């Protein structure tokens, strides 16, 4: 389990810390299925947004209070900026914490709803994915609901998969997916310094992730970017459903495919 945690630290947490402002700038649309889920919650709902990223779902329901959390301190800092009052003085009803989804700092049976959007596919084993789902179940009150989305093996836009290199998988369905941080971004300077120390980092990655693990961030002059590799597990049809059914006390309410996601 320590080896898997190290893999997540290197190819998920540290990557999102490094690219947080750039990543957040690309994530602004509210997914219709997420909006519908939030709007169906009771008035004044308490919602845990686990892996909240830049906090784009905080204001969807103005009467709800959202407990946002993210393992990436960089993304949490971006989300906190949403809580600054608007010129008219209106403040979003939300809070943000840096927290591990496998050990949420919330009281059990306290939330009406939970979001876990594009998070579970960054967890590196079935047992660890099940542990995260168990945390969502623990914090839900009786009758509460969680919405979980993950990348699917079925991809409608094949351009997205061009970066998935054959032989880079660490297990069945596991891939390293590149993120290009342009040189002109303010955060790219620190990333470039890290990339220049790539040989040492690649040796560490081999120990942490096993054969097939890519090097750390690298410079790509042809694209004018620092290239990071992010760990993903792509979910087959029924795979997420199967995890939910293994949770004592959980009920699968709905399962659907939407825009490359289960």
């Amino acid at each position: 389990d320590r080896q898997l945690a190290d893999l997540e630290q290197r190819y998920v947490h540290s990557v999102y810390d490094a690219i947080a402002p750039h990543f957040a700038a690309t994530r602004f649309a509210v997914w219709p299925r997420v909006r519908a889920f939030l709007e169906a919650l009771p008035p004044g709902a308490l919602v845990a947004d686990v892996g909240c990223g830049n906090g784009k779902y905080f204001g969807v329901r103005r009467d709800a209070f959202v407990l946002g959390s993210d393992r990436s301190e960089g993304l949490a800092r971006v989300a906190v900026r949403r809580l600054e009052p608007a010129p008219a003085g209106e403040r979003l009803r939300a809070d943000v914490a840096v927290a591990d989804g496998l050990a949420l700092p919330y009281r059990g049976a306290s939330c009406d709803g939970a979001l876990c959007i594009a998070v579970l596919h960054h967890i590196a084993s079935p047992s660890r994915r099940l542990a995260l789902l168990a945390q969502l179940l623990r914090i839900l009150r009786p009758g509460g609901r969680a919405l979980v989305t993950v990348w699917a093996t079925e991809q409608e836009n094949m351009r997205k998969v061009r970066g998935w290199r054959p032989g880079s998988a660490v297990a069945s369905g596991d891939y390293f997916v590149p993120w290009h941080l342009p040189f002109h971004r303010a955060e790219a300077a620190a990333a470039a310094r890290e990339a220049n120390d790539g040989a040492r980092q690649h040796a560490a990655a081999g120990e942490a992730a096993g054969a097939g693990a890519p090097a750390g961030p690298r410079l790509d002059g042809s694209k004018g970017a620092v290239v990071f590799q992010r760990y993903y597990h792509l979910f087959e049809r029924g795979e997420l459903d199967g995890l939910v059914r293994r949770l004592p006390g959980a009920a699968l309410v709905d399962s659907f495919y939407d825009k490359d996601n289960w």
Side-chain angles (χ1 to χ4, degrees):
D1 191 69
R2 180 59 186 173
Q3 189 178 44
L4 296 173
D6 288 345
L7 184 151
E8 293 166 13
Q9 174 60 39
R10 179 168 181 78
Y11 295 104
V12 182
H13 310 149
S14 64
V15 172
Y16 282 105
D17 279 343
I19 69 173
H22 184 225
F23 178 83
T26 69
R27 299 298 188 268
F28 49 85
V30 174
W31 289 5
R33 296 298 290 255
V34 179
R35 182 184 295 277
F37 173 83
L38 290 170
E39 290 178 347
L41 295 175
L46 180 63
V47 182
D49 188 350
V50 178
C52 66
N54 65 1
K56 69 177 182 179
Y57 294 118
F58 287 178
V60 174
R61 278 277 302 269
R62 293 287 175 169
D63 65 312
F65 193 95
V66 180
L67 298 171
S69 65
D70 206 287
R71 180 61 177 76
S72 165
E73 182 176 348
L75 286 174
R77 289 184 182 277
V78 175
V80 163
R81 292 202 287 269
R82 289 183 180 267
L83 306 186
E84 299 173 357
E90 183 180 11
R91 185 186 295 271
L92 292 178
R93 292 165 53 85
D95 198 2
V96 180
V98 177
D100 189 342
L102 276 68
L104 292 172
Y106 305 135
R107 187 174 67 246
S110 60
C111 296
D112 300 287
L115 295 176
C116 190
I117 307 301
V119 175
L120 194 67
H121 54 219
H122 288 310
I123 305 299
S125 74
S127 62
R128 291 173 65 80
R129 294 168 204 140
L130 195 62
L132 191 153
L133 293 175
Q135 283 290 300
L136 300 181
L137 183 64
R138 179 186 66 81
I139 64 175
L140 287 176
R141 65 168 179 79
R145 292 190 176 190
L147 175 62
V148 180
T149 74
V150 294
W151 274 20
T153 54
E154 300 83 359
Q155 297 289 318
E156 296 172 353
N157 181 2
M158 293 306 294
R159 288 179 299 175
K160 182 188 291 187
V161 305
R162 287 180 181 172
W164 300 349
R165 299 174 300 164
S168 68
V170 295
S172 177
D174 291 1
Y175 296 87
F176 294 101
V177 181
W179 181 271
H180 295 82
L181 179 64
F183 288 154
H184 66 78
R185 295 286 306 188
E187 60 269 36
R193 288 193 297 270
E194 183 180 354
N196 284 328
D197 195 22
R200 178 181 59 81
Q201 294 177 8
H202 184 55
E207 295 173 4
R218 62 180 178 83
L219 303 179
D220 188 334
S222 66
K223 296 184 181 298
V226 184
V227 182
F228 294 82
Q229 298 292 340
R230 298 170 294 160
Y231 167 82
Y232 278 81
H233 174 77
L234 273 63
F235 281 70
E236 298 180 352
R237 178 187 296 271
E239 185 176 354
L240 180 56
D241 299 6
L243 286 175
V244 173
R245 291 190 177 101
R246 291 173 58 185
L247 285 174
L252 182 62
V253 177
D254 189 18
S255 179
F256 58 90
Y257 175 85
D258 183 42
K259 298 180 180 178
D260 301 338
N261 292 269
W262 288 110

